[in-house]
């Protein structure tokens, strides 16, 4: 099935609906799932007469787990095909993002399918759940209900799963930001909420956390988006992240820039940071970081002094 899928992408926009249909068939049809077929064959031929038969609930739970695992594998393979070495320079995630975010008119079929492909490559799944496609018009399940605490907790949960590498690239390309800005409400509040939820997720790859920190710094350094982060819960989440013992120094750098800008803009934020344990944490970090990071950390430390 993989060769057929690759051959379907002659260019970023040609025959995209056909390629998406093939992808869905590969990922979702049980007959295309080797994990499930091996399990069925193994259970049919490998059991002994002494084995107790499994209940229907146990069989269904295992079947659903194998369906979920196979769909995730397909999503990672497709992401590799799009932005790996398999298909040469003709197709990259950047190309799909440009088509998915084309604002020349109403949401067309090419845009909708491109968004579904990108969503499937990220393949976000809440802990203990399978992949559930997002709603229209964003076609991104990471943004569904993101303003609710339940959705934010689900993303931040250590057992939530997603393709960190693809998501980091999409953040760098401003894809999710552009989806929020071009939605019916044209608001970046969901984007800010998503970034903070991702920052709290302890199982992130380093490059994903670093890109999240960069995006938070971008929001904080622009006057029109600074207010999106001026919320006690968001401030606390960023400050708590800096207390992690394995913190990457460039994550510290961008988070310090964001918090420093927020503290400069609001006495309430400054007071919140002063009352926290952040000053002690910053002093501990400063002994191990480079001069560039130390300078940004020192500026934030100045803001936390009563």
């Amino acid at each position: 099935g993989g060769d057929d899928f690759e051959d379907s992408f002659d260019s970023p926009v040609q025959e995209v609906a056909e390629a998406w249909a093939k992808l869905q068939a590969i990922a979702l049809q049980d007959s295309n799932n080797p994990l499930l077929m091996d399990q069925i064959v193994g259970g049919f031929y490998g059991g002994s007469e002494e084995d107790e038969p499994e209940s229907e609930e146990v069989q269904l739970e295992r079947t659903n787990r194998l369906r979920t695992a196979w769909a995730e594998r397909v999503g990672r393979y497709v992401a590799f095909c799009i932005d790996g070495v398999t298909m040469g320079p003709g197709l990259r995630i950047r190309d799909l993002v440009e088509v998915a975010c084309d604002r020349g008119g109403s949401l067309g079929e090419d845009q909708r399918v491109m968004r579904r492909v990108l969503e499937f490559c990220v393949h976000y799944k809440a802990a203990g759940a399978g992949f559930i496609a997002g709603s229209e018009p964003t076609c991104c399940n990471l943004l569904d209900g993101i303003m609710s605490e339940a959705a934010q907790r689900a993303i931040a949960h250590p057992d939530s799963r997603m393709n960190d590498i693809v998501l980091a690239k999409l953040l760098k390309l401003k894809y999710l930001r552009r989806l929020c800005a071009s939605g019916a409400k044209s608001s970046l509040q969901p984007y800010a909420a998503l970034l903070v939820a991702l920052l709290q997720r302890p199982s992130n790859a380093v490059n994903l956390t670093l890109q999240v920190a960069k995006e938070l710094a971008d929001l904080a350094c622009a006057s029109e988006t600074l207010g999106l982060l001026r919320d006690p819960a968001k401030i606390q989440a960023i400050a708590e992240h800096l207390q992690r013992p394995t913190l990457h120094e460039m994550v510290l750098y961008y988070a310090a820039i964001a918090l420093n800008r927020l503290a400069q803009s609001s006495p309430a934020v400054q007071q919140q940071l002063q009352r926290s344990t952040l000053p002690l944490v910053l002093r501990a970090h400063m002994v191990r970081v480079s001069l560039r990071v130390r300078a940004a950390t020192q500026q934030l430390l100045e803001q936390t002094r009563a």
Side-chain angles (χ1 to χ4, degrees):
D3 293 339
D4 290 341
F5 176 74
E6 293 171 22
D7 293 341
S8 299
F9 274 121
D10 295 329
S11 76
V13 295
Q14 287 179 348
E15 301 178 358
V16 64
E18 180 182 350
W20 174 236
K22 289 183 178 181
L23 171 59
Q24 289 178 297
I26 293 170
L28 303 179
Q29 291 182 11
D30 287 348
S31 59
N32 290 322
N33 185 340
L35 302 178
L36 188 58
M37 292 299 102
D38 288 348
Q39 180 65 39
I40 292 174
V41 172
F44 186 79
Y45 291 106
S48 64
E49 294 182 359
E50 291 78 14
D51 292 337
E52 294 185 6
E54 292 181 333
S55 67
E56 291 185 4
E57 290 184 0
V58 172
Q59 293 178 0
L60 180 60
E61 190 277 333
R62 185 175 63 249
T63 297
N64 288 335
R65 187 173 65 250
L66 293 173
R67 286 169 176 160
T68 298
W70 173 243
E72 183 177 357
R73 287 192 187 187
V74 174
R76 289 183 179 275
Y77 174 72
V78 173
F80 172 77
C81 290
I82 293 174
D83 222 39
V85 298
T86 307
M87 301 175 71
L91 184 69
R92 287 291 180 265
I93 284 181
R94 182 184 301 275
D95 301 314
L96 271 66
V97 167
E98 289 306 312
V99 174
C101 294
D102 182 13
R103 301 180 65 181
S106 58
L107 188 65
E109 184 62 20
D110 281 349
Q111 288 176 282
R112 184 176 289 105
V113 172
M114 288 294 188
R115 292 183 185 188
R116 288 299 184 200
V117 172
L118 290 171
E119 175 192 52
F120 193 75
C121 289
V122 175
H123 217 83
Y124 163 63
K125 300 182 296 183
F131 174 78
I132 302 174
S135 60
E136 301 282 3
T138 63
C139 303
C140 178
N141 60 359
L142 273 169
L143 292 172
D144 274 356
I146 188 59
M147 296 306 293
S148 70
E149 292 185 5
Q152 294 167 23
R153 286 196 301 269
I155 291 173
H157 195 282
D159 293 331
S160 66
R161 294 183 61 84
M162 62 191 77
N163 190 322
D164 292 18
I165 295 175
V166 173
L167 182 55
K169 290 179 180 180
L170 293 180
L171 291 175
K172 184 176 182 179
L173 293 169
K174 310 297 184 186
Y175 172 63
L176 296 171
R177 178 170 179 159
R178 292 163 72 180
L179 288 186
C180 293
S182 63
K185 297 182 179 180
S186 299
S187 171
L188 288 180
Q189 287 185 343
Y191 186 63
L194 173 63
L195 291 176
V196 174
L198 288 170
L199 188 70
Q200 295 174 288
R201 179 173 174 256
S203 53
N204 284 348
V206 173
N207 61 338
L208 175 56
T209 301
L210 178 57
Q211 192 60 47
V212 168
K214 286 182 178 181
E215 294 302 307
L216 288 170
D218 284 349
L219 291 179
C221 290
S223 57
E224 62 271 19
T225 55
L226 175 62
L228 298 173
L229 300 177
R230 202 183 289 130
D231 171 76
K234 291 184 175 67
I235 300 297
Q236 181 180 350
I238 299 173
E240 287 180 350
H241 186 81
L242 298 186
Q243 299 180 24
R244 298 189 180 184
T246 57
L247 183 69
H248 191 282
E249 72 168 50
M250 292 309 296
V251 174
L252 169 61
Y253 175 72
Y254 288 109
I257 290 175
L259 289 177
N260 184 50
R261 181 71 181 88
L262 286 161
Q264 289 175 343
S265 70
S266 169
V269 174
Q270 186 179 34
Q271 292 170 10
Q272 180 182 354
L273 295 178
Q274 289 171 349
R275 293 191 301 265
S276 71
T277 60
L278 185 60
L280 294 175
V281 173
L282 294 177
R283 291 188 185 96
H285 284 314
M286 286 182 67
V287 301
R288 65 173 182 83
V289 297
S290 63
L291 290 176
R292 178 190 181 191
V293 180
R294 190 178 304 165
T297 307
Q298 180 63 43
Q299 290 178 0
L300 176 57
L301 189 58
E302 292 292 333
Q303 292 293 332
T304 62
R305 290 177 178 171

